[in-house]
Amino acid sequence: MSKKIFIRYILSTVFLMTLTVAFLGCNNIFSNSFKEENTRTYLKVGVSSASRTAIPEFSVSSINDFNFTLTGKGPGASDFAVLTDDPTGNPTGEYEGLASLTGAAFPIDLGEWTFKLTATKEGTVLSDEISKEITSGQNSINFNLKWEDTNLDTTQKGSLSFTLNFSTAPNSSSVTYVTTELLKYSSSTRDYETLKPEVSIGFSDGKVIYAPSDLDAGNYKLLVRLYGNDSNTNNADPILLLTWTEFAIITGGQESIGNRTVFTLNELYTINWYNLELSGVSSPDTLPGCYSRYILCPSIPTLIIL
């Protein structure tokens, strides 16, 4: 091998080794960046049924345009601190509008946390507090904002006027009866407790109107359930088509109003008695989508015994 060829060989080898090292280095940087992005621990915030809150008539009509502040107390901390997705551009941690809050991602440390979300507008203060164990990756938390007790007039009774309109739903004629259940929030148990048990109420023209009065000031949850029956059988057992949840804030001397429209109900499947003896099937569980003594199998009508 000549000296010139030998030198070329050495230079080519060094060049190839340099390219390999550079490629591995870039690949490692990309890998670490990808790993860091996908293992980043952060918190996403939601507000349950934000548009389903009946509030006193004198107040703002929606909580969607309140100003929001999220605070948290992490492992070993004794006080709440403001949390923000951008400490430099948003040092106060105040978010204008619900959309800006739910669109933010809050960097967070691992461990047991207690979070408090506060919403304010025109003297109205709503808040909720939740504890959660934070793990690696994305964590989600949903608040149900309630009126601060200090803003409620407890010297008088209040009332609720709620209307649920399902007349435009394609299968609205399938609804045969409606029930309501009213629950009141208890600060001692930090949960909702039944105030008015589930009871059947009348409806007409695809509308439900529920208007209880003489309610103590506080935070409530209303459950409206729409039921139907399968007209193709003699089965009298009801089918739950929809459960609507409406939150309500009641204050003395005021009426809290909520008017909602439902554009679709859950599909009303054909449910028939299933005769095991005639079918020769040992258990309805062997049929996909079939439950207990009934079958819920609209996709396999040939297996339905009428």
Side-chain angles (χ1 to χ4, degrees):
M1 179 183 296
S2 67
K3 183 177 180 181
K4 183 180 294 186
I5 295 176
F6 178 75
I7 293 175
R8 287 181 178 178
Y9 172 77
I10 294 297
L11 291 176
S12 298
T13 302
V14 172
F15 177 73
L16 289 175
M17 291 179 64
T18 303
L19 284 179
T20 302
V21 171
F23 173 78
L24 291 176
C26 290
N27 186 60
N28 189 53
I29 292 173
F30 174 77
S31 176
N32 288 339
S33 175
F34 179 81
K35 182 178 180 181
E36 179 181 353
E37 178 66 23
N38 285 273
T39 59
R40 185 168 61 97
T41 300
Y42 61 97
L43 180 70
K44 296 287 290 184
V45 175
V47 178
S48 297
S49 303
S51 61
R52 297 185 181 184
T53 303
I55 51 183
E57 59 182 3
F58 68 86
S59 66
V60 291
S61 59
S62 171
I63 67 171
N64 292 315
D65 55 353
F66 272 55
N67 291 332
F68 296 87
T69 303
L70 178 67
T71 59
K73 184 167 58 176
S78 56
D79 299 317
F80 283 88
V82 172
L83 302 178
T84 178
D85 64 333
D86 185 1
T88 303
N90 186 20
T92 64
E94 186 173 76
Y95 293 82
E96 297 183 2
L98 184 62
S100 63
L101 172 73
T102 57
F106 298 85
I108 199 78
D109 293 329
L110 301 177
E112 183 68 27
W113 281 76
T114 299
F115 300 98
K116 183 175 183 179
L117 181 65
T118 303
T120 59
K121 185 175 181 181
E122 299 175 6
T124 297
V125 182
L126 309 176
S127 68
D128 191 22
E129 187 174 308
I130 299 177
S131 295
K132 181 180 178 63
E133 178 76 19
I134 297 299
T135 58
S136 298
Q138 176 176 321
N139 295 258
S140 299
I141 191 168
N142 280 282
F143 293 94
N144 171 26
L145 293 174
K146 295 174 285 293
W147 204 284
E148 293 280 6
D149 292 340
T150 54
N151 290 320
L152 298 178
D153 180 359
T154 59
T155 64
Q156 309 177 68
K157 299 287 187 178
S159 62
L160 171 65
S161 177
F162 175 73
T163 301
L164 183 65
N165 184 347
F166 58 91
S167 61
T168 59
N171 55 342
S172 60
S173 60
S174 300
V175 178
T176 55
Y177 74 95
V178 178
T179 67
T180 60
E181 181 180 2
L182 187 64
L183 303 92
K184 189 175 187 297
Y185 182 79
S186 170
S187 57
S188 59
T189 62
R190 298 184 61 80
D191 200 358
Y192 288 90
E193 300 175 351
T194 298
L195 177 69
K196 295 181 182 295
E198 185 173 10
V199 61
S200 179
I201 66 170
F203 66 96
S204 62
D205 299 324
K207 291 183 180 180
V208 179
I209 299 177
Y210 183 68
S213 57
D214 295 326
L215 298 176
D216 290 332
N219 297 276
Y220 292 79
K221 180 165 65 174
L222 170 64
L223 300 177
V224 180
R225 300 182 177 95
L226 308 184
Y227 291 88
N229 292 96
D230 186 353
S231 60
N232 297 323
T233 71
N234 294 323
N235 174 25
D237 287 357
I239 303 166
L240 181 59
L241 302 178
L242 175 74
T243 297
W244 180 273
T245 301
E246 180 81 13
F247 297 99
I249 299 168
I250 304 297
T251 189
Q254 297 291 332
E255 181 182 51
S256 296
I257 300 175
N259 295 302
R260 315 299 178 209
T261 300
V262 175
F263 296 101
T264 182
L265 304 178
N266 296 337
E267 183 178 355
L268 180 61
Y269 289 95
T270 298
I271 297 182
N272 296 300
W273 290 97
Y274 191 82
N275 190 313
L276 297 180
E277 183 178 351
L278 291 178
S279 68
V281 178
S282 59
S283 169
D285 294 334
T286 61
L287 297 175
C290 302
Y291 305 96
S292 185
R293 294 179 305 163
Y294 307 96
I295 62 174
L296 182 56
C297 307
S299 61
I300 47 175
T302 56
L303 296 177
I304 297 177
I305 307 299
L306 297 177

